[in-house]
Amino acid sequence: MGPPQGWLPPVRRALCHTTAWEPLWWSVELSWWLARWWSVSHTDPPERVQSPRLCPELGGCIRYGVDTTAKLLLMSSGIRSRRLAHSIAASITTTDETTVESLREHLGEMSINTWRTRYDATSSELTDLLEFTRLRGRSLLKELLETNTITLELASTTGRTAMQSFELALRYDSSEPAPQSIGLYDRGTRISIVSTRDHSDIKAILDTGMDLEVGIDWNVTPATMIMSLSTS
């Protein structure tokens, strides 16, 4: 059984209008046929299957040009660079099952600078990583506008544990190329950095230009940043 009648020829002609599109066409067509082959071989009764069973991910691996589950999950979830996907997959040593969530957690524990140095990531690759690791299902900007205050756990603080802080401010690290880390500063000294999981949400808030008041609750572990709309 092939694709729907009349569907393949027009698409083939469109993609193969120039020689440059021919590799793309064959990649799409081959991955489609392999996915269909897998579907038939795994849903039909065993006595009717005459061909060997295939790995369900084979079609996707051919489409994206990768050879492992981790690379396939990365590239099908927003990481556009095959080189970066290979580099990330090579750094994973866990024997646990690889899932999109486990990859998000693994990468979300790193800073932008760690991505930049460990994976030699470019600006566009870093942007993809920030979107990939972003916590889903929330909007800190919306919460701030609705409630006037939000809280955020700080991954770590430098030299300020259980100390009162003054003149706290959130700002981009001007010493870094874009995309820049967002740091929490106390009188000009960076005491913490916003997690890559929270980076996009905090960036959306800072980019509004709203006046903000920032504090730290040292009575909880880990310490929590409190951000409010300025009342002055």
Side-chain angles (χ1 to χ4, degrees), residues 154 160 163-171 183-192 212-218 224-226:
L154 295 175
R160 294 294 192 279
M163 292 176 60
Q164 186 177 7
S165 301
F166 304 89
E167 301 178 21
L168 287 173
L170 276 171
R171 65 170 183 262
L184 177 61
Y185 291 80
D186 182 8
R187 290 167 290 183
T189 300
R190 192 171 77 179
I191 62 173
S192 187
L212 304 168
E213 294 178 356
V214 183
I216 297 180
D217 182 357
W218 297 107
T224 300
M225 178 179 69
I226 306 169

Side-chain angles (χ1 to χ4, degrees), residues 51-103:
S51 57
R53 294 183 182 272
L54 297 177
C55 166
E57 299 168 347
L58 183 57
C61 287
I62 291 176
R63 177 183 178 185
Y64 289 103
V66 295
D67 57 0
T68 67
T69 298
K71 297 173 190 176
L72 177 59
L73 290 175
L74 288 165
M75 294 205 67
S76 60
S77 301
I79 302 300
R80 293 170 293 177
S81 167
R82 186 180 295 108
R83 182 208 66 80
L84 178 60
H86 277 269
S87 185
I88 293 171
S91 71
I92 299 174
T93 57
T94 179
T95 58
D96 297 335
E97 180 183 3
T98 301
T99 64
V100 171
E101 287 308 314
S102 68
L103 289 168

Side-chain angles (χ1 to χ4, degrees), residues 73-74 76-79 88 92 98-110 115 128-137 195-197:
L73 290 175
L74 288 165
S76 60
S77 301
I79 302 300
I88 293 171
I92 299 174
T98 301
T99 64
V100 171
E101 287 308 314
S102 68
L103 289 168
R104 282 200 180 106
E105 183 177 356
H106 173 72
L107 291 167
E109 293 174 351
M110 306 177 195
W115 292 341
D128 285 351
L129 285 169
L130 286 171
E131 175 58 26
F132 178 76
T133 56
R134 177 181 58 83
L135 287 181
R136 268 55 179 173
S195 166
T196 49
R197 300 186 188 95

